[in-house]
Amino acid sequence: MSTTSTARASSDPPPTPVTRLDAMTEPSIFTRILRGDIPAEIVGETENAFAIRDIAPQAPVHLLVIPKTEQYRNVVELAAGDPDLLTEVIGLANTVASEHADGDFRLIFNTGAGAGQTVFHVHAHVLAGGLNEKSLGG
Ligand code: AMP
């Protein structure tokens, strides 16, 4: 009895490799910054989060505070999945706002493309140093 009914003949084309979906997903721009693949000014860090200067500032001081993991796409997912990490992000925002401005700051999490989110790796915008209402837009 043959046990090779599913074996390929040598003339068959090779099978299509099975590729895991997550292996096809590009790391986010913030993960690439964290890895050092893309330059950025890192202004603060905790065990699980880091802060950089935004490349297109919308306020005199415009920093981003970012969890090191990119598993949460927005603040709603982060709050539900890891509230301690959200607390750590807010604590780092407070620290960098004190170091780069007078400690008063506006914290914005754009949530969804319709709200202006362009990077789906959750991050907080820290706006400080003299704000006007336009800076509500992140
Ligand atoms: P959002 O539109 O809320 O997703 O915010 C993404 C933010 O990332 C924007 O304010 C961008 O200016 C900022 N950004 C994108 N690329 C870089 C980069 N290479 N370095 C620093 N900030 C960046």
Side-chain angles (χ1 to χ4, degrees):
M1 187 173 94
S2 170
T3 57
T4 58
S5 59
T6 58
R8 292 191 302 118
S10 60
S11 58
D12 288 347
T16 304
V18 176
T19 308
R20 289 172 51 212
L21 261 183
D22 58 359
M24 294 167 57
T25 307
E26 289 288 315
S28 77
I29 190 154
F30 298 145
T31 295
R32 287 151 68 201
I33 287 171
L34 183 63
R35 290 176 181 171
D37 296 341
I38 294 176
E41 186 184 343
I42 297 188
V43 296
E45 184 172 7
T46 59
E47 183 181 355
N48 301 299
F50 65 109
I52 62 173
R53 201 175 289 282
D54 196 292
I55 203 169
Q58 305 296 313
V61 174
H62 185 171
L63 309 173
L64 301 174
V65 181
I66 308 160
K68 292 180 180 176
T69 176
E70 65 172 271
Q71 76 180 102
Y72 305 108
R73 290 181 307 163
N74 59 53
V75 69
V76 177
E77 290 187 4
L78 176 59
D82 193 341
D84 289 344
L85 180 53
L86 175 57
T87 301
E88 189 173 328
V89 165
I90 292 172
L92 182 55
N94 186 45
T95 299
V96 294
S98 298
E99 290 171 350
H100 292 266
D102 62 5
D104 291 347
F105 62 97
R106 181 172 290 152
L107 196 62
I108 295 175
F109 291 89
N110 291 330
T111 305
Q117 188 175 4
T118 58
V119 180
F120 292 84
H121 171 167
V122 61
H123 53 281
H125 295 258
V126 178
L127 304 177
L131 301 178
N132 60 49
E133 286 315 301
K134 282 186 181 170
S135 57
L136 271 174

